[in-house]
Amino acid sequence: MNKFARTAVGAASVVVLTAALGACGGDDDGGGGSDSKTIALLLPETKTTRYEAFDKPLFEAKVKELCDDCEVKYLNADQDSAKQQQQAESAITDGAAVLVFDPVDGEAAAGAVKSAQSSDVPVIAYDRFMEGADYYMSFDNEKVGQLQGEALVEATGGSGNILMLNGSPTDPNAAQFKKGAHSAIDASGLKVVAEYDNPDWSPDNAQKFVTSQLNNVDGASLAGVYAANDGQAGGVIAALRADGMTTFPPVTGQDAELAAIQRIVAGDQFMTIYKSIKTEAEKAAEVAVAIVNGDDVGDTTDFQGVDSFIFEPAVVTKDNIKDTVIADEFYTVEDICTPEYADACAAAGLS
């Protein structure tokens, strides 16, 4: 049974709730009242291409498919935690029935969770964990890091000097990726000569970090680079190229960004992690619609005390592009195999 199933209340309660929340309708659950079917989608930033290109349109399309009278209110924080807090408060005040919330800073967002719940607006923590949320959905983030680390160990033969570029210290997922990666790397013969927790996951910061490290580490002796996501991987490779390299040591990534898939085809980046954003975004839409309709959200698993939906990631290398991102119609061959990559695609069997 959906723990947010709605119940009717008297006319006096309707008046009180409407005045308090500035929304139409009235019940004892949901900032927008029983008639509100507004779903607020709060995403953290635009530097990572997935949010605007995939999460937002996939989520909106699924909501539209499931609920003719539902409205999605989309808000992007541009990597500003204070701005996101204001957006969440605005969404609650404007009568959102549920928040689908991907926080810039998981700890800082705790206040927004409490504010929402004090207005009887449930919160779905989307992709990044938020303590106290009503639901959480993401991939097995520690396993993501483990798979990246294992791939790097295998590609390097398990020995040599590496650099590590982790995600933002304010992103709760980043610590899980880092832990998983270290579980594989620390058990191998690889030596981490420098490690960086990258604010904002910035590709520019990644490039600057690697450039600075190449003054201390001979590029020829660099066995590989752990980059926690594809944006950073692009910055890493740009730094290596600027240093005069034409062939690169294994570089990891995550998110299966189109540019990363093309780099993998070309042999510049070794691997990425593919997380089916379609699966995640559509499940978030299904749960949000179930909440506003008072329906059962389905079976969940427990993650740190929160009812959760946890999905499985997959490693993508040159050998299985066709069986992963193309098979799932995440990209087409035409998307990947632009004229610049035509020869590399032919060699990889993609043309």
Side-chain angles (χ1 to χ4, degrees):
M1 177 68 180
N2 180 6
K3 59 186 176 183
F4 299 105
R6 312 247 169 149
T7 58
V9 297
S13 297
V14 172
V15 174
V16 172
L17 187 61
T18 302
L21 302 179
C24 63
D27 61 10
D28 62 357
D29 185 31
S34 61
D35 292 335
S36 173
K37 290 198 173 183
T38 299
I39 299 167
L41 175 65
L42 296 100
L43 296 184
E45 44 102 345
T46 57
K47 286 184 180 179
T48 304
T49 59
R50 60 168 285 185
Y51 295 115
E52 297 286 327
F54 296 102
D55 296 84
K56 175 182 179 286
L58 287 167
F59 181 87
E60 290 176 334
K62 191 64 176 180
V63 169
K64 185 176 181 180
E65 174 191 325
L66 296 172
C67 182
D68 290 338
D69 53 346
C70 288
E71 176 188 0
V72 176
K73 182 179 180 66
Y74 173 59
L75 301 157
N76 193 295
D78 297 316
Q79 200 60 43
D80 184 332
S81 181
K83 178 180 178 180
Q84 191 171 53
Q85 178 85 15
Q86 292 169 354
Q87 290 174 335
E89 295 290 350
S90 175
I92 296 164
T93 300
D94 291 344
V98 59
L99 303 186
V100 180
F101 201 141
D102 189 343
V104 173
D105 183 329
E107 292 185 7
V113 173
K114 291 178 181 177
S115 180
Q117 292 172 340
S118 70
S119 297
D120 294 323
V121 178
V123 177
I124 300 170
Y126 179 75
D127 199 58
R128 297 173 179 174
F129 185 74
M130 300 167 71
E131 187 173 351
D134 299 287
Y135 296 102
Y136 168 58
M137 57 187 62
S138 188
F139 289 80
D140 185 335
N141 295 316
E142 194 168 323
K143 185 172 182 179
V144 168
Q146 180 185 341
L147 291 172
Q148 291 172 310
E150 288 172 349
L152 188 60
V153 170
E154 181 177 355
T156 59
S159 64
N161 296 328
I162 67 167
L163 301 174
M164 282 193 74
L165 292 93
N166 305 305
S168 171
T170 63
D171 180 344
N173 288 4
Q176 296 172 45
F177 300 143
K178 181 178 177 179
K179 181 180 179 182
H182 269 292
S183 71
I185 291 168
D186 294 352
S188 74
L190 292 173
K191 179 182 178 182
V192 179
V193 294
E195 186 168 1
Y196 177 48
D197 292 348
N198 186 348
D200 301 345
W201 295 86
S202 167
D204 291 340
N205 286 347
Q207 183 172 352
K208 291 174 184 176
F209 172 75
V210 173
T211 298
S212 70
Q213 291 305 314
L214 289 174
N215 294 324
N216 304 318
V217 180
D218 179 10
S221 70
L222 190 63
V225 180
Y226 171 82
N229 74 333
D230 290 334
Q232 292 193 91
V236 169
I237 291 165
L240 298 177
R241 183 173 282 116
D243 195 56
M245 291 189 189
T246 54
T247 58
F248 308 110
V251 178
T252 67
Q254 176 185 181
D255 291 329
E257 292 185 356
L258 179 58
I261 298 297
Q262 291 173 324
R263 289 193 296 265
I264 290 170
V265 169
D268 295 342
Q269 182 172 327
F270 176 63
M271 61 79 71
T272 187
I273 294 290
Y274 171 52
K275 301 179 296 186
S276 177
I277 298 171
K278 180 179 174 67
T279 298
E280 185 178 27
E282 291 189 346
K283 188 63 178 179
E286 290 171 6
V287 173
V289 169
I291 289 172
V292 299
N293 286 335
D295 296 333
D296 189 353
V297 302
D299 294 336
T300 61
T301 188
D302 178 80
F303 183 87
Q304 297 184 20
V306 177
D307 291 336
S308 301
F309 302 87
I310 305 298
F311 314 112
E312 287 294 311
V315 171
V316 178
T317 65
K318 188 184 295 188
D319 294 335
N320 69 344
I321 290 172
K322 187 178 291 186
D323 299 326
T324 52
V325 294
I326 292 176
D328 281 4
E329 299 181 349
F330 194 60
Y331 301 120
T332 66
V333 170
E334 290 73 24
D335 291 333
I336 299 167
C337 298
T338 58
E340 180 182 357
Y341 296 96
D343 290 344
C345 279
L350 295 180
S351 58

mmCIF file with all atom_site columns, all heavy atoms in Angstrom, residues 59-72:
data_model
loop_
_atom_site.group_PDB
_atom_site.id
_atom_site.type_symbol
_atom_site.label_atom_id
_atom_site.label_alt_id
_atom_site.label_comp_id
_atom_site.label_asym_id
_atom_site.label_entity_id
_atom_site.label_seq_id
_atom_site.pdbx_PDB_ins_code
_atom_site.Cartn_x
_atom_site.Cartn_y
_atom_site.Cartn_z
_atom_site.occupancy
_atom_site.B_iso_or_equiv
_atom_site.pdbx_formal_charge
_atom_site.auth_seq_id
_atom_site.auth_comp_id
_atom_site.auth_asym_id
_atom_site.auth_atom_id
_atom_site.pdbx_PDB_model_num
ATOM 1   N N   . PHE A 1 59 ? 12.089 11.651 -18.180 1.00 0.00 ? 59 PHE A N   1
ATOM 2   C CA  . PHE A 1 59 ? 11.170 11.761 -17.052 1.00 0.00 ? 59 PHE A CA  1
ATOM 3   C C   . PHE A 1 59 ? 9.864  12.415 -17.491 1.00 0.00 ? 59 PHE A C   1
ATOM 4   O O   . PHE A 1 59 ? 8.765  11.913 -17.198 1.00 0.00 ? 59 PHE A O   1
ATOM 5   C CB  . PHE A 1 59 ? 11.829 12.571 -15.935 1.00 0.00 ? 59 PHE A CB  1
ATOM 6   C CG  . PHE A 1 59 ? 10.976 12.739 -14.711 1.00 0.00 ? 59 PHE A CG  1
ATOM 7   C CD1 . PHE A 1 59 ? 10.975 11.790 -13.708 1.00 0.00 ? 59 PHE A CD1 1
ATOM 8   C CD2 . PHE A 1 59 ? 10.162 13.863 -14.568 1.00 0.00 ? 59 PHE A CD2 1
ATOM 9   C CE1 . PHE A 1 59 ? 10.188 11.943 -12.578 1.00 0.00 ? 59 PHE A CE1 1
ATOM 10  C CE2 . PHE A 1 59 ? 9.363  14.020 -13.445 1.00 0.00 ? 59 PHE A CE2 1
ATOM 11  C CZ  . PHE A 1 59 ? 9.370  13.065 -12.454 1.00 0.00 ? 59 PHE A CZ  1
ATOM 12  N N   . GLU A 1 60 ? 9.955  13.526 -18.187 1.00 0.00 ? 60 GLU A N   1
ATOM 13  C CA  . GLU A 1 60 ? 8.765  14.257 -18.610 1.00 0.00 ? 60 GLU A CA  1
ATOM 14  C C   . GLU A 1 60 ? 7.892  13.416 -19.540 1.00 0.00 ? 60 GLU A C   1
ATOM 15  O O   . GLU A 1 60 ? 6.657  13.421 -19.421 1.00 0.00 ? 60 GLU A O   1
ATOM 16  C CB  . GLU A 1 60 ? 9.166  15.554 -19.294 1.00 0.00 ? 60 GLU A CB  1
ATOM 17  C CG  . GLU A 1 60 ? 9.759  16.583 -18.338 1.00 0.00 ? 60 GLU A CG  1
ATOM 18  C CD  . GLU A 1 60 ? 10.249 17.834 -19.041 1.00 0.00 ? 60 GLU A CD  1
ATOM 19  O OE1 . GLU A 1 60 ? 10.606 17.754 -20.236 1.00 0.00 ? 60 GLU A OE1 1
ATOM 20  O OE2 . GLU A 1 60 ? 10.291 18.898 -18.405 1.00 0.00 ? 60 GLU A OE2 1
ATOM 21  N N   . ALA A 1 61 ? 8.527  12.690 -20.455 1.00 0.00 ? 61 ALA A N   1
ATOM 22  C CA  . ALA A 1 61 ? 7.763  11.871 -21.401 1.00 0.00 ? 61 ALA A CA  1
ATOM 23  C C   . ALA A 1 61 ? 7.014  10.749 -20.684 1.00 0.00 ? 61 ALA A C   1
ATOM 24  O O   . ALA A 1 61 ? 5.866  10.433 -21.023 1.00 0.00 ? 61 ALA A O   1
ATOM 25  C CB  . ALA A 1 61 ? 8.698  11.292 -22.461 1.00 0.00 ? 61 ALA A CB  1
ATOM 26  N N   . LYS A 1 62 ? 7.656  10.141 -19.676 1.00 0.00 ? 62 LYS A N   1
ATOM 27  C CA  . LYS A 1 62 ? 7.006  9.040  -18.962 1.00 0.00 ? 62 LYS A CA  1
ATOM 28  C C   . LYS A 1 62 ? 5.855  9.557  -18.125 1.00 0.00 ? 62 LYS A C   1
ATOM 29  O O   . LYS A 1 62 ? 4.789  8.914  -18.058 1.00 0.00 ? 62 LYS A O   1
ATOM 30  C CB  . LYS A 1 62 ? 8.027  8.317  -18.078 1.00 0.00 ? 62 LYS A CB  1
ATOM 31  C CG  . LYS A 1 62 ? 7.498  6.998  -17.504 1.00 0.00 ? 62 LYS A CG  1
ATOM 32  C CD  . LYS A 1 62 ? 7.205  5.996  -18.623 1.00 0.00 ? 62 LYS A CD  1
ATOM 33  C CE  . LYS A 1 62 ? 6.784  4.646  -18.077 1.00 0.00 ? 62 LYS A CE  1
ATOM 34  N NZ  . LYS A 1 62 ? 6.499  3.676  -19.158 1.00 0.00 ? 62 LYS A NZ  1
ATOM 35  N N   . VAL A 1 63 ? 6.033  10.710 -17.476 1.00 0.00 ? 63 VAL A N   1
ATOM 36  C CA  . VAL A 1 63 ? 4.925  11.289 -16.711 1.00 0.00 ? 63 VAL A CA  1
ATOM 37  C C   . VAL A 1 63 ? 3.740  11.563 -17.630 1.00 0.00 ? 63 VAL A C   1
ATOM 38  O O   . VAL A 1 63 ? 2.589  11.246 -17.300 1.00 0.00 ? 63 VAL A O   1
ATOM 39  C CB  . VAL A 1 63 ? 5.364  12.582 -15.999 1.00 0.00 ? 63 VAL A CB  1
ATOM 40  C CG1 . VAL A 1 63 ? 4.156  13.321 -15.428 1.00 0.00 ? 63 VAL A CG1 1
ATOM 41  C CG2 . VAL A 1 63 ? 6.350  12.261 -14.868 1.00 0.00 ? 63 VAL A CG2 1
ATOM 42  N N   . LYS A 1 64 ? 4.009  12.141 -18.788 1.00 0.00 ? 64 LYS A N   1
ATOM 43  C CA  . LYS A 1 64 ? 2.944  12.453 -19.737 1.00 0.00 ? 64 LYS A CA  1
ATOM 44  C C   . LYS A 1 64 ? 2.226  11.191 -20.196 1.00 0.00 ? 64 LYS A C   1
ATOM 45  O O   . LYS A 1 64 ? 0.992  11.170 -20.357 1.00 0.00 ? 64 LYS A O   1
ATOM 46  C CB  . LYS A 1 64 ? 3.519  13.202 -20.942 1.00 0.00 ? 64 LYS A CB  1
ATOM 47  C CG  . LYS A 1 64 ? 2.474  13.680 -21.932 1.00 0.00 ? 64 LYS A CG  1
ATOM 48  C CD  . LYS A 1 64 ? 3.111  14.504 -23.046 1.00 0.00 ? 64 LYS A CD  1
ATOM 49  C CE  . LYS A 1 64 ? 2.055  15.002 -24.037 1.00 0.00 ? 64 LYS A CE  1
ATOM 50  N NZ  . LYS A 1 64 ? 2.656  15.803 -25.129 1.00 0.00 ? 64 LYS A NZ  1
ATOM 51  N N   . GLU A 1 65 ? 2.988  10.121 -20.398 1.00 0.00 ? 65 GLU A N   1
ATOM 52  C CA  . GLU A 1 65 ? 2.401  8.845  -20.819 1.00 0.00 ? 65 GLU A CA  1
ATOM 53  C C   . GLU A 1 65 ? 1.478  8.271  -19.753 1.00 0.00 ? 65 GLU A C   1
ATOM 54  O O   . GLU A 1 65 ? 0.428  7.710  -20.064 1.00 0.00 ? 65 GLU A O   1
ATOM 55  C CB  . GLU A 1 65 ? 3.525  7.850  -21.114 1.00 0.00 ? 65 GLU A CB  1
ATOM 56  C CG  . GLU A 1 65 ? 3.063  6.435  -21.430 1.00 0.00 ? 65 GLU A CG  1
ATOM 57  C CD  . GLU A 1 65 ? 4.207  5.441  -21.455 1.00 0.00 ? 65 GLU A CD  1
ATOM 58  O OE1 . GLU A 1 65 ? 5.321  5.821  -21.877 1.00 0.00 ? 65 GLU A OE1 1
ATOM 59  O OE2 . GLU A 1 65 ? 3.995  4.283  -21.043 1.00 0.00 ? 65 GLU A OE2 1
ATOM 60  N N   . LEU A 1 66 ? 1.868  8.426  -18.492 1.00 0.00 ? 66 LEU A N   1
ATOM 61  C CA  . LEU A 1 66 ? 1.135  7.797  -17.390 1.00 0.00 ? 66 LEU A CA  1
ATOM 62  C C   . LEU A 1 66 ? 0.000  8.645  -16.838 1.00 0.00 ? 66 LEU A C   1
ATOM 63  O O   . LEU A 1 66 ? -0.930 8.110  -16.228 1.00 0.00 ? 66 LEU A O   1
ATOM 64  C CB  . LEU A 1 66 ? 2.111  7.480  -16.253 1.00 0.00 ? 66 LEU A CB  1
ATOM 65  C CG  . LEU A 1 66 ? 3.216  6.466  -16.542 1.00 0.00 ? 66 LEU A CG  1
ATOM 66  C CD1 . LEU A 1 66 ? 4.196  6.416  -15.371 1.00 0.00 ? 66 LEU A CD1 1
ATOM 67  C CD2 . LEU A 1 66 ? 2.641  5.083  -16.806 1.00 0.00 ? 66 LEU A CD2 1
ATOM 68  N N   . CYS A 1 67 ? 0.085  9.958  -17.031 1.00 0.00 ? 67 CYS A N   1
ATOM 69  C CA  . CYS A 1 67 ? -0.845 10.847 -16.319 1.00 0.00 ? 67 CYS A CA  1
ATOM 70  C C   . CYS A 1 67 ? -1.144 12.078 -17.167 1.00 0.00 ? 67 CYS A C   1
ATOM 71  O O   . CYS A 1 67 ? -0.328 12.999 -17.239 1.00 0.00 ? 67 CYS A O   1
ATOM 72  C CB  . CYS A 1 67 ? -0.222 11.241 -14.980 1.00 0.00 ? 67 CYS A CB  1
ATOM 73  S SG  . CYS A 1 67 ? -1.271 12.293 -13.955 1.00 0.00 ? 67 CYS A SG  1
ATOM 74  N N   . ASP A 1 68 ? -2.326 12.101 -17.776 1.00 0.00 ? 68 ASP A N   1
ATOM 75  C CA  . ASP A 1 68 ? -2.689 13.209 -18.660 1.00 0.00 ? 68 ASP A CA  1
ATOM 76  C C   . ASP A 1 68 ? -2.765 14.544 -17.932 1.00 0.00 ? 68 ASP A C   1
ATOM 77  O O   . ASP A 1 68 ? -2.449 15.596 -18.500 1.00 0.00 ? 68 ASP A O   1
ATOM 78  C CB  . ASP A 1 68 ? -4.040 12.934 -19.326 1.00 0.00 ? 68 ASP A CB  1
ATOM 79  C CG  . ASP A 1 68 ? -3.959 11.816 -20.354 1.00 0.00 ? 68 ASP A CG  1
ATOM 80  O OD1 . ASP A 1 68 ? -2.843 11.553 -20.843 1.00 0.00 ? 68 ASP A OD1 1
ATOM 81  O OD2 . ASP A 1 68 ? -5.000 11.203 -20.646 1.00 0.00 ? 68 ASP A OD2 1
ATOM 82  N N   . ASP A 1 69 ? -3.195 14.516 -16.677 1.00 0.00 ? 69 ASP A N   1
ATOM 83  C CA  . ASP A 1 69 ? -3.406 15.768 -15.966 1.00 0.00 ? 69 ASP A CA  1
ATOM 84  C C   . ASP A 1 69 ? -2.287 16.100 -14.979 1.00 0.00 ? 69 ASP A C   1
ATOM 85  O O   . ASP A 1 69 ? -2.417 17.011 -14.159 1.00 0.00 ? 69 ASP A O   1
ATOM 86  C CB  . ASP A 1 69 ? -4.752 15.769 -15.235 1.00 0.00 ? 69 ASP A CB  1
ATOM 87  C CG  . ASP A 1 69 ? -4.942 14.566 -14.318 1.00 0.00 ? 69 ASP A CG  1
ATOM 88  O OD1 . ASP A 1 69 ? -4.168 13.597 -14.430 1.00 0.00 ? 69 ASP A OD1 1
ATOM 89  O OD2 . ASP A 1 69 ? -5.883 14.591 -13.502 1.00 0.00 ? 69 ASP A OD2 1
ATOM 90  N N   . CYS A 1 70 ? -1.169 15.401 -15.068 1.00 0.00 ? 70 CYS A N   1
ATOM 91  C CA  . CYS A 1 70 ? -0.008 15.739 -14.253 1.00 0.00 ? 70 CYS A CA  1
ATOM 92  C C   . CYS A 1 70 ? 0.821  16.820 -14.947 1.00 0.00 ? 70 CYS A C   1
ATOM 93  O O   . CYS A 1 70 ? 0.887  16.882 -16.182 1.00 0.00 ? 70 CYS A O   1
ATOM 94  C CB  . CYS A 1 70 ? 0.875  14.513 -14.010 1.00 0.00 ? 70 CYS A CB  1
ATOM 95  S SG  . CYS A 1 70 ? 0.178  13.296 -12.873 1.00 0.00 ? 70 CYS A SG  1
ATOM 96  N N   . GLU A 1 71 ? 1.464  17.638 -14.148 1.00 0.00 ? 71 GLU A N   1
ATOM 97  C CA  . GLU A 1 71 ? 2.339  18.692 -14.662 1.00 0.00 ? 71 GLU A CA  1
ATOM 98  C C   . GLU A 1 71 ? 3.716  18.547 -14.037 1.00 0.00 ? 71 GLU A C   1
ATOM 99  O O   . GLU A 1 71 ? 3.837  18.364 -12.825 1.00 0.00 ? 71 GLU A O   1
ATOM 100 C CB  . GLU A 1 71 ? 1.776  20.075 -14.337 1.00 0.00 ? 71 GLU A CB  1
ATOM 101 C CG  . GLU A 1 71 ? 2.690  21.216 -14.759 1.00 0.00 ? 71 GLU A CG  1
ATOM 102 C CD  . GLU A 1 71 ? 2.219  22.573 -14.268 1.00 0.00 ? 71 GLU A CD  1
ATOM 103 O OE1 . GLU A 1 71 ? 1.167  22.631 -13.592 1.00 0.00 ? 71 GLU A OE1 1
ATOM 104 O OE2 . GLU A 1 71 ? 2.919  23.569 -14.540 1.00 0.00 ? 71 GLU A OE2 1
ATOM 105 N N   . VAL A 1 72 ? 4.773  18.607 -14.860 1.00 0.00 ? 72 VAL A N   1
ATOM 106 C CA  . VAL A 1 72 ? 6.138  18.568 -14.352 1.00 0.00 ? 72 VAL A CA  1
ATOM 107 C C   . VAL A 1 72 ? 6.678  19.989 -14.291 1.00 0.00 ? 72 VAL A C   1
ATOM 108 O O   . VAL A 1 72 ? 6.690  20.704 -15.292 1.00 0.00 ? 72 VAL A O   1
ATOM 109 C CB  . VAL A 1 72 ? 7.054  17.696 -15.230 1.00 0.00 ? 72 VAL A CB  1
ATOM 110 C CG1 . VAL A 1 72 ? 8.500  17.761 -14.727 1.00 0.00 ? 72 VAL A CG1 1
ATOM 111 C CG2 . VAL A 1 72 ? 6.573  16.252 -15.244 1.00 0.00 ? 72 VAL A CG2 1
#
